[in-house]
């Protein structure tokens, strides 16, 4: 636990209730200095609620929040140290871009010249050096977003909070701004929490992702950890594509799906347990069959061209009626002449198989 | 180890008590202060008045003896019946007329719509008394069209119904137009696709679509007529209504207890109408929020022309009413010397307050608009944008809604009871301009409050969050962002307060002193003294002032629109 020393924001056993409804259940989380953390989860899972509790805009019912070693649990927003960007940007419509950005500085009784210099610097930083005299309504969505970011950063807060800052933008601008925000954050080194329900956004931008579901944290980890070893079947399903096949544990290190045995790590389960076997489509292998473990015969029931690869659906006795999706490279499809109805052996590598308790549906 | 985690667990269960910021303290204190102002200015006086209604002349408690006397005196009790029947009659007439008029403006391709919209708003510029005065000139003993009544007298139910219908028309029309404009065009397309007949479409789509608007308009008209004092005072003759009874009991007979009893009798139906209307309006809002496609009417010659004919008749009546008042004001001596002169404008030679009353009115209206707008808008802002304190904020909203249920006469009488008491620390405002301003602000508080709330609800709720995160005190954001962005609504509120302060009679008729006579009261008193033409002239002075103010508003709003078009999304 070397990280404990660097913990910048410490959230302990946070609970938020709206009347009888519990929006956050016992959330604990550490955010480290300079880190970029994404809260990811489906709509209504409590991401915004958690962010607003951190900001002090809707204070939690129970639990403690510590920022930079100081207990801020009950403090009003004005006594906390953060900058925030909302989905709506909330730019003041009757003030120019410059005055929006200067808004927080004007309260610090800085000399006008100093404010002007800082505003120019910030506008330069977000790539809008000559838009200062315009009004928010005269800017595009992406530009407004940057102004909101500049305004939030103007007072150099220790913590930057972003609530779905990109979701109101069209797809191309969104992708472009992702890199920009990430670069900016890295350059300034400001600890940042971003709320999103877009997994791609979280995977590309975050140092660590906090996956939330129904008011609880399912998993916290780097994008690679979240993607590579999802802690729950919810995380597995929510992020990327995942095949789920019901099965049972046959013995230590071995499970059966239908009649077919598969080798995999069964740590945490006992012989005879019902389980869900999962594997990502891109981890299914049809190429090098030098190993002969976990190889099953499949029959192509669907084949969809996705641009850089094909997504195949395979049926077969082995999967007890469940179709399995697998991604094949364009090259492989061409070389092996894979078409609808082709039969071919595929391998489910043991180290890519994850077991979860059975999903009830 | 286990112990430590256990204690940590239990201490975490403690509910977090948010610490209040300086902003929170200021916001809550100011909001509570405005709330207390409303309590003192509405509820306490009403309470005092209600206690008076169960006391005898010496202040002893007599239970419901006064009410028993009231209901066993036919002369008194009859007015309740009169008020009720006239109000219902006027409501029915106005609903039919406004529905057709509103339909013509929203659902047809009738030409000159702008003209008809403009004319319909004219009665808002004049005190309700003016309609009565005009009717005297048209149908009175020396009236031009007296014979049209076939021997019936205009002084009485006929006059009251006509005069009331005239001045409540725009109030009802605005509600009906709103209701008619929100109907979803897709319903009509569906009806057309199903080959529904015109009549059936009308009955199954048009009427249900605006039924809440019609109901709401009905309650508003009912309450306005039921509680109005001006029209029955001028043209009621010997036909007694509740509002005129209060006046007679208080001013004529100095019987304050009976005045209080009549006030309670007037207050109860007004509160019932108010409550039903609130419920209905809530349903209307639910309809409004649905995503509707606006309806664009298609030309239809027969319908458009018959609508034009109908609206022309109504517009003609309105013009005839105000036109006659103007004519009568300019004529030297009706009906013997019809030469024009300005003799009737020589108010200083007549009883009623003279020109000073007119200037007092303007002063009073300006104060009301100025202080009223500040109080109303600040109160609405603090209520709408405050953090936490939900109980206090909902309580404030309820207190702000209360004035709408209180008829002007009742408020005025309650003020006598409350403020004229020497033991009351606020006794010093009795008989001053101050009490007139307070009464008027309070009387018209609710509509202004709702206008402000509507405008504030359209602002991004995160402005306050952002400014808190930037450590800007809320009042800076209020001054730099909220007020500028809401400027059109702020204007609406101040003009609304100004016009009503100029034209109201009922709220102030008990409260003016010889130093603070008002133009609208002067109209009443001159008419009472038989100086009907000067009364008409004074009523027209009020109308010019209100019209001028409206023009100022239009110009200012245009000016703002031009100045701010850079940042306003069109
Ligand atoms: N003020 C409130 N009163 C009552 N319930 C609320 C309130 N705010 C949020 N909730 C509820 O709490 C839950 C979590 O809401 P929250 O806004 O945090 O979701 P979210 O994860 O941000 O979702 P989205 O992606 O849609 O923004 C939801 O079920 C929501 O209905
Ligand atoms: Mg959200």
């Amino acid at each position: 636990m070397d990280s404990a020393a660097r913990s910048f924001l410490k959230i302990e056993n946070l609970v938020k209730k709206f009347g009888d409804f519990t929006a956050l259940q016992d959330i604990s989380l550490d955010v480290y200095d300079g880190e970029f953390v994404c809260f990811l989860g489906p709509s209504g899972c409590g991401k915004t609620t958690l962010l607003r509790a951190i900001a002090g805009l809707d204070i939690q019912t129970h639990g403690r929040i510590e920022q930079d070693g100081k207990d801020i649990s009950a403090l009003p927003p004005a006594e906390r140290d953060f900058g925030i960007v909302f989905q709506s940007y909330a730019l003041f419509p009757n003030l120019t871009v410059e005055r929006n950005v200067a808004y927080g500085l004007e309260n610090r009784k800085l000399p006008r010249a100093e404010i002007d210099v800082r505003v120019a610097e910030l506008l330069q930083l977000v790539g809008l050096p000559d838009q200062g005299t315009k009004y928010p309504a005269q800017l595009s969505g992406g530009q407004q977003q940057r102004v909101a970011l500049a305004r939030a950063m103007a007072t150099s807060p220790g913590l930057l909070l972003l609530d779905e800052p990109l979701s109101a933008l069209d797809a191309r601008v969104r992708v472009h701004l992702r890199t920009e925000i990430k670069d900016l954050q890295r350059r300034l080194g400001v600890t940042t929490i971003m709320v999103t329900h877009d997994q791609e956004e979280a995977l590309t931008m975050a140092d660590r992702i906090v996956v939330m579901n129904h008011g609880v944290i399912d998993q916290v980890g780097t994008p690679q950890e979240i993607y590579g070893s999802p802690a729950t079947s919810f995380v597995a399903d929510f992020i990327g594509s995942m095949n789920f096949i019901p099965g049972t544990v046959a013995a230590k290190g071995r499970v059966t799906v239908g009649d077919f045995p598969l080798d995999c790590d069964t740590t945490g389960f006992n012989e005879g347990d019902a389980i869900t076997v999962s594997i990502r489509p891109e981890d299914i292998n049809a190429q090098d069959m030098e190993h002969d473990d976990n190889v099953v015969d499949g029959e192509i029931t669907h084949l969809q061209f996705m641009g850089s690869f094909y997504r195949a659906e395979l049926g077969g006795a082995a999967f007890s009626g469940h179709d399995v999706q697998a991604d094949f490279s364009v090259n492989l499809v061409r070389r092996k002449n894979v078409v609808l109805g082709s039969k071919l052996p595929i391998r489910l590598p043991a180290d890519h198989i994850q077991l979860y308790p059975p999903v009830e549906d | 180890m286990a112990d430590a985690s256990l204690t940590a667990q239990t201490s975490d269960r403690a509910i977090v008590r948010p610490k209040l910021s300086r902003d929170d303290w200021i916001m809550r204190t100011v909001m509570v202060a405005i709330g207390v102002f409303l309590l003192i200015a509405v509820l306490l006086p009403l309470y005092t008045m209600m206690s008076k209604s169960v006391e005898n002349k010496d202040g002893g408690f007599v239970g419901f003896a006064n009410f028993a006397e009231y209901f066993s005196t036919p002369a008194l009790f009859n007015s309740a019946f009169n008020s009720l029947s006239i109000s219902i009659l006027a409501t029915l007439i106005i609903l039919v007329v406004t529905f057709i008029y509103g339909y013509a403006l929203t659902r047809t391709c009738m030409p000159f719509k702008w003209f008809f919209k403009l004319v319909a708003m004219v009665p808002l510029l004049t005190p309700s008394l003016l309609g009565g005065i005009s009717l005297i000139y048209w149908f009175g003993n020396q009236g031009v069209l007296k014979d049209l009544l076939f021997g019936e007298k205009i002084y009485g139910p006929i006059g009251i119904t006509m005069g009331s219908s005239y001045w409540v028309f725009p109030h009802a029309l605005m509600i009906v137009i709103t209701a008619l404009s929100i109907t979803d065009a897709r319903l009509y397309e569906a009806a057309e696709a199903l080959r529904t007949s015109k009549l059936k479409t009308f009955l199954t789509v048009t009427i249900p679509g605006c039924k809440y608007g019609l109901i709401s308009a009905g309650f508003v008209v009912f309450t306005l007529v039921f509680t109005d004092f001006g029209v029955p005072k001028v043209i009621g003759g010997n036909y007694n209504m509740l509002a005129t009874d209060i006046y007679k009991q208080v001013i004529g007979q100095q019987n304050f207890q009976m005045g209080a009893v009549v006030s309670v009798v007037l207050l109860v139906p007004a509160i019932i109408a108010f409550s039903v209307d609130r419920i209905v309006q809530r349903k209307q809002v639910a309809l409004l929020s649905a995503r509707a496609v606006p309806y664009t009417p298609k030309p239809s010659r027969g319908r458009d022309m018959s609508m034009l004919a109908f609206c022309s008749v109504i517009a003609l009546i309105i013009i005839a009413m105000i036109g006659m008042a103007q004519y009568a004001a300019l004529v030297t001596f009706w009906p013997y010397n019809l030469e024009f002169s300005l003799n009737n404008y020589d108010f200083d030679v007549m009883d009623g307050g003279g020109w000073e009353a007119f200037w007092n009115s303007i002063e009073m209206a300006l104060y009301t608009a100025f202080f009223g707008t500040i109080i109303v808008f600040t109160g609405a802002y603090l209520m709408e944008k405050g953090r936490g304190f939900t109980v206090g904020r909902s309580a404030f909203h309820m207190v702000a809604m209360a004035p709408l249920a209180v008829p002007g006469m009742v408020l005025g009488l309650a003020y006598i009871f409350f403020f004229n008491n020497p033991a009351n620390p606020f006794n010093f405002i009795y008989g001053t301009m101050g009490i007139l301003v307070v009464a008027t602000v309070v009387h018209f508080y609710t509509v202004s409050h709702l206008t402000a709330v509507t405008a504030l609800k359209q602002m991004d709720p995160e402005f306050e969050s952002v400014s808190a995160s930037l450590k800007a005190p809320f009042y800076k954001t209020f001054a730099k962002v909220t007020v500028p962005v809401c400027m059109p609504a702020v204007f609406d509120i101040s003009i609304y307060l100004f016009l009503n302060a100029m034209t109201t009679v009922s709220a102030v008729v008990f409260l003016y002193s010889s130093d603070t006579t008002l133009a609208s009261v002067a109209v009443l008193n001159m008419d009472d003294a038989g100086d009907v033409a000067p009364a008409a002239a004074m009523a027209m002075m009020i109308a010019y002032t209100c019209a001028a103010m409206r023009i100022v508003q239009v110009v200012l709003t245009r000016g703002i629109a031009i100045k701010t078009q850079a940042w306003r999304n069109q």
Side-chain angles (χ1 to χ4, degrees):
Chain A
M1 271 280 122
D2 61 318
S3 44
R6 293 181 290 120
S7 173
F8 178 72
L9 189 73
K10 203 167 181 57
I11 298 169
E12 290 170 2
N13 306 103
L14 216 66
V15 173
K16 175 72 187 180
K17 292 190 175 142
F18 294 109
D20 289 339
F21 176 73
T22 308
L24 296 177
Q25 302 175 27
D26 211 29
I27 300 273
S28 296
L29 177 70
D30 282 296
V31 177
Y32 306 122
D33 207 3
E35 192 178 30
F36 194 120
V37 168
C38 274
F39 292 171
L40 177 65
S43 189
C45 69
K47 307 176 297 281
T48 300
T49 309
L50 181 54
L51 195 80
R52 292 180 72 88
I54 295 170
L57 295 168
D58 279 310
I59 290 179
Q60 69 277 12
T61 320
H62 308 289
R64 215 177 108 86
I65 303 178
E66 203 177 273
Q67 183 176 340
D68 212 5
K70 185 176 149 207
D71 183 358
I72 57 164
S73 309
L75 293 187
E79 291 173 34
R80 302 187 184 201
D81 174 28
F82 69 97
I84 191 162
V85 176
F86 292 99
Q87 187 176 0
S88 65
Y89 314 142
L91 293 175
F92 304 126
N94 62 321
L95 303 182
T96 59
V97 166
E98 279 168 350
R99 296 213 43 215
N100 263 285
V101 175
Y103 203 82
L105 302 169
E106 285 169 358
N107 289 301
R108 318 217 143 170
K109 312 231 159 34
L110 296 177
R112 189 74 240 175
E114 206 173 307
I115 293 180
D116 290 345
V117 170
R118 175 90 179 117
V119 168
E121 187 185 296
L122 282 156
L123 288 178
Q124 184 75 44
L125 195 68
V126 296
L128 296 171
D130 1 285
Q131 310 285 339
T133 54
K134 287 192 179 166
Y135 288 99
Q138 297 167 315
L139 301 181
S140 71
Q143 289 173 321
Q144 291 183 27
Q145 211 282 326
R146 294 173 213 215
V147 176
L149 198 60
R151 181 178 65 180
M153 293 307 301
T155 52
S156 315
L159 178 65
L160 179 61
L161 304 176
L162 312 168
D163 190 357
E164 310 224 6
L166 303 176
S167 63
L169 303 171
D170 64 58
R172 285 180 63 115
V173 183
R174 199 152 57 198
V175 172
H176 179 66
L177 270 177
R178 263 186 216 160
T179 17
E180 269 193 29
I181 293 182
K182 180 67 196 176
D183 282 353
L184 192 71
Q185 185 268 340
R186 201 174 287 140
R187 249 184 300 156
L188 300 175
V190 56
T191 312
T192 302
I193 299 177
M194 182 173 98
V195 164
T196 178
H197 59 244
D198 179 341
Q199 45 156 314
E200 209 176 293
E201 216 165 274
L203 289 170
T204 51
M205 294 173 80
D207 295 324
R208 282 194 309 151
I209 298 176
V210 176
V211 187
M212 296 179 64
N213 185 24
H214 289 310
V216 297
I217 294 180
D218 264 34
Q219 188 174 7
V220 181
T222 62
Q224 292 74 13
E225 284 164 4
I226 299 276
Y227 192 87
S229 30
T232 64
S233 57
F234 167 78
V235 177
D237 193 26
F238 188 69
I239 293 166
S241 314
M242 184 68 96
N243 291 300
F244 291 106
I245 317 156
T248 33
V249 179
K252 192 167 157 39
R254 171 159 295 226
V255 297
T256 48
V257 288
D259 296 331
F260 198 84
L262 286 175
D263 289 339
C264 61
D265 182 7
T266 58
T267 317
F269 296 96
N270 298 318
E271 197 177 315
D273 281 357
I275 38 103
T276 304
V277 175
S278 72
I279 185 163
R280 296 209 181 271
E282 70 266 29
D283 291 333
I284 293 180
N285 207 328
Q287 209 122 297
D288 35 16
M289 295 291 157
E290 66 266 29
H291 309 273
D292 55 0
D293 60 321
N294 288 358
V295 175
V296 290
D297 286 320
E299 179 182 340
I300 308 277
T301 57
H302 281 280
L303 193 63
Q304 198 176 10
F305 180 54
M306 306 291 286
S308 54
F309 64 94
Y310 282 89
R311 170 145 302 174
E313 266 183 37
L314 297 112
F319 311 121
S320 53
H322 283 258
D323 278 349
V324 168
Q325 295 188 332
D327 293 349
F328 296 146
S329 71
V330 177
N331 188 343
L332 173 122
V333 169
R334 200 178 304 134
R335 202 154 35 80
K336 295 210 166 178
N337 192 21
V338 177
V339 291
L340 208 62
S342 307
K343 293 199 164 97
L344 75 167
I346 53 169
R347 193 173 144 256
L348 284 59
D351 49 346
H352 288 299
I353 292 179
Q354 301 259 350
L355 300 187
Y356 298 105
V359 216
E360 62 274 2
D361 44 10
Chain B
M1 187 65 215
D3 270 4
S5 71
L6 198 69
T7 46
Q9 196 67 22
T10 38
S11 68
D12 280 341
R13 296 302 98 181
I15 287 181
V16 180
R17 303 242 162 259
K19 175 175 175 259
L20 297 186
S21 65
R22 203 172 69 111
D23 274 8
D24 292 330
W25 281 113
I26 303 175
M27 288 176 99
R28 289 175 195 195
T29 311
V30 176
M31 189 184 80
V32 168
I34 296 175
V36 168
F37 160 75
L38 283 173
L39 279 181
I40 294 177
V42 186
L43 297 186
L44 290 189
L46 278 186
Y47 173 78
T48 317
M49 188 201 73
M50 288 190 191
S51 356
K52 283 283 179 220
S53 71
V54 291
E55 283 174 7
N56 61 20
K57 283 204 162 62
D58 307 320
F61 180 76
V62 294
F64 289 102
N66 294 331
F67 286 90
E69 187 192 337
Y70 176 84
F71 285 107
S72 57
T73 314
L76 289 173
F77 178 60
N78 272 345
S79 353
F81 177 75
N82 290 347
S83 281
L84 209 56
S85 35
I86 294 273
S87 310
I88 292 173
L89 182 63
T91 305
L92 293 178
I93 295 174
I94 280 299
L95 276 189
V96 172
V97 173
T98 44
F99 181 76
I100 302 174
Y101 204 94
Y103 189 89
L105 288 178
T106 52
R107 298 292 180 81
T108 71
C109 294
M110 177 181 74
F112 308 118
K113 277 187 191 171
W114 61 270
F115 171 76
F116 291 110
K117 273 187 198 151
L118 203 66
V119 171
M121 294 303 131
V122 163
L124 289 180
L125 305 178
T126 62
S128 62
L129 298 157
L130 180 129
I133 292 172
S134 273
L135 285 174
I136 294 178
Y137 283 101
W138 280 113
F139 300 106
N141 289 335
Q142 295 166 329
V144 191
L145 300 177
K146 183 177 155 204
D147 298 339
L148 280 185
L149 293 179
F150 301 108
E152 291 291 330
K153 283 232 177 300
I154 190 75
Y155 305 98
I158 300 178
I160 302 175
T161 310
M162 288 171 73
S164 304
S165 302
Y166 162 75
W167 82 271
V168 298
F169 177 67
H171 296 269
L173 185 67
M174 285 188 280
I175 301 174
V176 169
I177 285 184
T178 312
L180 280 168
S181 342
I182 60 169
T183 307
D184 198 334
R186 288 173 300 190
L187 292 175
Y188 289 88
E189 284 159 13
E192 207 164 304
L194 294 170
R195 298 185 194 287
T196 318
S197 77
K198 285 241 162 73
L199 180 67
K200 195 160 175 214
T201 309
F202 182 78
L203 292 177
T204 56
V205 179
T206 310
I207 295 285
C210 65
K211 71 169 180 255
Y212 294 127
L214 287 175
I215 297 172
S216 183
F219 280 110
V220 167
V221 172
F222 176 86
T223 314
L224 286 175
V225 178
F226 191 73
T227 60
D228 177 46
F229 166 69
V231 175
K233 178 76 187 70
V234 172
I235 200 144
N238 297 323
Y239 191 80
N240 291 329
M241 304 264 288
L242 285 172
T244 44
D245 273 1
I246 300 180
Y247 186 73
K248 277 186 204 149
Q249 291 294 337
V250 173
I251 301 289
Q253 308 181 8
Q254 300 284 311
N255 185 346
F256 290 95
Q257 283 67 31
M258 197 45 79
V261 170
V262 186
S263 295
V264 173
V265 174
L266 187 68
L267 185 59
V268 171
I271 289 181
I272 294 173
F274 164 81
S275 317
V276 178
D277 183 48
R278 291 314 305 164
I279 297 167
V280 171
Q281 294 233 332
R282 217 164 284 156
K283 302 205 166 162
Q284 164 106 29
V285 169
L287 271 187
L288 243 173
S289 53
R291 217 170 260 178
V293 177
Y295 178 83
T296 333
K298 297 185 199 73
S300 151
R301 204 172 156 72
R303 182 199 61 194
D304 294 349
M305 286 305 126
S306 37
M307 284 298 174
L308 181 64
F310 178 85
C311 290
S312 303
V313 171
I314 301 296
L316 195 69
I317 294 176
I318 294 173
I319 292 169
M321 292 290 263
I322 191 149
M324 179 53 96
Q326 179 62 86
Y327 181 66
L330 287 173
V331 156
T332 313
F333 188 56
W334 180 280
Y336 308 108
N337 179 355
L338 293 182
E339 257 174 63
F340 286 157
S341 76
L342 289 178
N343 292 355
N344 291 324
Y345 286 81
D346 201 359
F347 302 128
D348 287 339
V349 305
M350 280 160 254
D351 287 339
W355 275 102
E356 198 202 326
F358 177 70
W359 300 120
N360 280 343
S361 259
I362 291 190
E363 192 185 335
M364 197 275 271
L366 287 174
Y367 283 141
T368 302
F370 182 75
F371 293 110
T373 308
I374 292 176
I375 295 174
V376 167
F377 194 79
T378 311
Y381 171 80
L382 298 175
M383 182 195 87
E384 196 53 39
K385 306 288 180 185
R387 213 169 62 97
F389 198 37
T390 357
V391 177
R393 284 158 58 205
S394 339
F396 183 88
H397 189 62
M398 271 158 62
V399 176
M401 291 309 292
L404 193 58
V406 184
M409 294 296 283
V410 176
L411 190 70
L413 184 59
Y415 271 32
I416 301 187
F417 292 138
F418 185 69
F419 289 106
N420 197 20
N421 179 356
N424 185 325
F426 300 104
N427 176 252
F428 67 92
I429 73 164
Y430 194 75
T432 65
M433 184 61 94
I435 197 170
L436 297 174
V437 173
V438 171
T440 315
V441 169
V442 166
H443 188 36
F444 299 104
Y445 196 96
T446 308
V447 174
S448 319
H449 173 75
L450 291 175
T451 310
V453 168
T454 309
L456 287 164
K457 274 200 196 301
Q458 288 165 358
M459 309 250 314
D460 193 322
E462 308 300 4
F463 284 163
E464 279 66 33
S465 309
V466 165
S467 84
S469 81
L470 295 173
K471 318 262 185 295
F474 83 93
Y475 45 83
K476 276 205 180 153
T477 309
F478 179 68
K480 281 187 189 172
V481 180
T482 314
V483 173
V485 172
C486 289
M487 214 50 188
V490 169
F491 274 147
D492 279 351
I493 294 170
S494 36
I495 296 292
Y496 170 84
L497 288 173
F498 184 92
L499 297 197
N500 279 297
M502 282 304 290
T503 56
T504 187
V505 183
S506 59
V508 293
V509 72
F510 293 139
L511 300 176
Y512 72 93
S513 69
S514 53
D515 293 334
T516 56
T517 48
L518 297 172
S520 55
V521 177
V523 176
L524 178 83
N525 287 340
M526 288 192 282
D527 172 76
D528 224 15
D531 292 329
V532 184
M538 185 64 102
M540 286 313 296
M541 285 310 299
I542 296 175
Y544 304 145
T545 314
C546 292
M549 217 50 186
R550 272 269 180 231
I551 293 169
V552 169
Q553 182 198 15
V554 170
V555 171
L556 279 180
T557 311
R558 284 261 164 83
I560 287 192
I562 292 168
K563 229 184 116 193
T564 62
Q565 74 184 8
W567 57 265
R568 242 174 237 288
N569 301 323
Q570 34 282 349

